Structure formats: C-alpha cells, structure tokens
Amino acid sequence: IYTRINNELTFTGDGMNYSGSAHGAHFINDDWALMAGARYEIGPNGTHEFTPEAGVQFKGVPLMFGYATEAEAITIGISIPFGRSR
C-alpha cells in the first residue's frame, strides 16, 4: 500500500487559502491499482470544501473521481502516479 499526504498554504491579496489531501493506493498487479482518499480546502472568505475521492491507476495513469460535498458537484481528475517508475 502506498500513501501520500499533501498540504498547501498560500497567501494572496484576498487572504489565505489552505488545501490538504491524503490518498492511498493498493496495487492489484503490475498494471492496476485502486486508490482512495480525500481533499479539504479552506478559502479566504471562510468557505470550505470536503471532497472524498476514489479511482484507479492503469499503467501509471491515475484517474480520480470525487464528490465535492458543499458544491454538490462531481470531480474528475488526473493525479500524480503512485508506485515506482519502471
């Protein structure tokens, strides 16, 4: 099982933004991995967004799907690949 935690704090003219995420991946075989995790964001005006995510990685290409709970929106994205390079 591979894990990854990311945090980012930025300062802008509007205020401070924070985002954090934690994800894990379990390789089924050399080509396929199952991934899951969550992302949390806080905006400068006090807005916040929690997004649980799940996805698959095939041959080093990860595809994540999530649901932004406050915006009530589905998210789709590509993330940094898990595992060792070949």
Side-chain angles (χ1 to χ4, degrees), residues 7-73:
N7 289 295
E8 181 179 332
L9 182 63
T10 56
F11 296 93
T12 65
D14 296 333
M16 181 176 64
N17 297 313
Y18 169 77
S19 67
S21 64
H23 293 90
H26 173 71
F27 278 83
I28 299 169
N29 58 37
D30 288 341
D31 293 330
W32 287 94
L34 298 176
M35 304 181 305
R39 176 179 321 278
Y40 187 74
E41 299 175 8
I42 301 173
N45 57 357
T47 60
H48 57 92
E49 188 69 63
F50 175 71
T51 307
E53 298 176 316
V56 296
Q57 177 173 304
F58 178 68
K59 294 195 177 196
V61 179
L63 185 59
M64 297 292 288
F65 299 91
Y67 182 72
T69 55
E70 291 296 315
E72 297 181 351

